[in-house]
Amino acid sequence: MKLAFPPVAHGATRRGLGVSLCNKNYTTRSLGTALTLRSSPLVPYHQHRSRSQCAKRHNSDAAAPLTKNPNTNTNGNQTHTPISISDQVRLLMRRVPYPVAIITATDPSGPADTSSFRGMTVSSFSTVTLTPHPVISFNVRRPSETLNALLASGRFLVHLLAPGPATATLARDFSRGNNTLAAMLSGHGEFEFAALDVGAEGHQRPLPILRRRGEGLTPEQKGADFPFVFECELHPSKIEVHDHSIVLGTVVRTIGGSEFVSSDLDEHSPGRLCLTYANTKFWKMGEEF
């Protein structure tokens, strides 16, 4: 959902923009424990401070044993203190690959420009049900400016990423602080935000959709790093567990993705798989059994 971007390799990897990648909002800090990124405030993008569970995992040492370092008691003997159940779960769940998604929303109370855009990386994205309407979910650590924006506006976008060094760097950036977002909004970097008119009726503010920056690129080339995007309407149900919120959204529109449906690639080709995160790294999946 902090770490220098590791080379993308076949296999699997995930602390969420914001990290480990769990649920990290852009302005917040690093990704969640596992892959949950915290929300980071995009400066001026957002100023989230939430991280996803995924992010937290990835920020910790990878191969840590399930006991603390030995201590010496008064008799000179070494003793081992078991680590907490929370740390055990965190270390073990780092071995589980998670999908990487960037969530974006618009703060309806902000200025009518890009400074009201918010974003965060999460690694807790999943579908809840497909009938009667498709519903998705993800986790966000509070406080989070991206969370506040999507709760206030009732709309948000979920970007799934193609595997590669550029998209992995982008996901890590969205799990960090506002400086990265400020640079992006000021015209620096490989990616930018475009304003997407929402599918709902009324005068709602446009949503920020990510695309590659560059003159002369076709719309397909600009969106190639994001195989598909879901436009979602906030579901009335929201669950708060300790310092995290479980967000539910009803998918009202899919943007892109036609090449996944009508591609000449084999249905199980690695070329159809999105970026994943596990054990503090981003991965391109590629081996089947």
Side-chain angles (χ1 to χ4, degrees):
M1 157 295 74
K2 279 197 173 178
L3 303 173
F5 169 70
V8 175
H10 286 60
T13 344
R14 168 178 162 172
R15 171 208 159 204
L17 51 318
V19 84
S20 307
L21 293 174
C22 262
N23 253 355
K24 198 171 183 179
N25 290 339
Y26 212 131
T27 234
T28 223
R29 292 181 176 174
S30 58
L31 308 138
T33 321
L35 224 230
T36 304
L37 306 167
R38 309 177 180 179
S39 350
S40 303
L42 302 180
V43 178
Y45 246 134
H46 41 217
Q47 286 185 323
H48 325 121
R49 244 200 106 137
S50 67
R51 21 174 129 165
S52 82
Q53 304 168 333
C54 289
K56 299 175 181 177
R57 304 179 207 172
H58 299 292
N59 288 332
S60 55
D61 293 338
L66 296 186
T67 57
K68 295 181 179 179
N69 292 333
N71 299 314
T72 302
N73 59 22
T74 55
N75 296 324
N77 298 321
Q78 287 187 340
T79 60
H80 292 267
T81 304
I83 64 175
S84 69
I85 186 65
S86 294
D87 284 340
Q88 291 182 46
V89 172
R90 173 177 54 81
L91 293 172
L92 294 173
M93 289 302 293
R94 286 175 55 182
R95 306 296 176 175
V96 180
Y98 297 88
V100 179
I102 295 178
I103 312 297
T104 62
T106 301
D107 182 357
S109 64
D113 56 33
T114 57
S115 65
S116 294
F117 289 167
R118 304 287 184 267
M120 63 182 173
T121 300
V122 302
S123 62
S124 52
F125 172 75
S126 183
T127 54
V128 177
T129 184
L130 297 177
T131 57
H133 306 290
V135 175
I136 58 86
S137 73
F138 57 88
N139 310 328
V140 183
R141 182 180 177 182
R142 302 184 307 273
S144 162
E145 288 197 359
T146 300
L147 175 62
N148 294 340
L150 68 85
L151 291 177
S153 66
R155 291 263 163 170
F156 58 91
L157 297 178
V158 178
H159 299 71
L160 277 297
L161 285 62
T167 52
T169 297
L170 181 68
R172 283 197 186 279
D173 287 345
F174 263 100
S175 69
R176 291 170 178 158
N178 54 352
N179 291 334
T180 300
L181 184 54
M184 179 177 170
L185 291 177
S186 62
H188 299 286
E190 297 184 63
F191 298 94
E192 63 183 1
F193 273 131
L196 176 72
D197 290 333
V198 297
E201 299 180 358
H203 302 285
Q204 293 189 4
R205 302 272 290 277
L207 288 169
I209 185 168
L210 286 162
R211 65 183 184 181
R212 184 171 284 271
R213 189 195 309 275
E215 297 292 335
L217 296 179
T218 66
E220 291 74 19
Q221 291 172 325
K222 285 180 174 289
D225 298 286
F226 310 97
F228 52 93
V229 178
F230 293 146
E231 179 185 337
C232 299
E233 183 177 72
L234 186 65
H235 193 278
S237 299
K238 180 172 70 75
I239 304 171
E240 296 189 351
V241 182
H242 302 308
D243 62 347
H244 278 69
S245 293
I246 301 175
V247 178
L248 299 173
T250 300
V251 180
V252 298
R253 176 167 53 151
T254 61
I255 303 168
S258 59
E259 67 277 11
F260 278 73
V261 177
S262 59
S263 173
D264 293 333
L265 292 174
D266 178 81
E267 181 181 357
H268 301 291
S269 169
R272 288 178 174 266
L273 303 179
C274 295
L275 185 70
T276 59
Y277 186 91
N279 202 24
T280 74
K281 299 177 185 295
F282 293 92
W283 297 87
K284 176 180 180 179
M285 309 301 292
E287 184 176 356
E288 66 174 281
F289 297 97

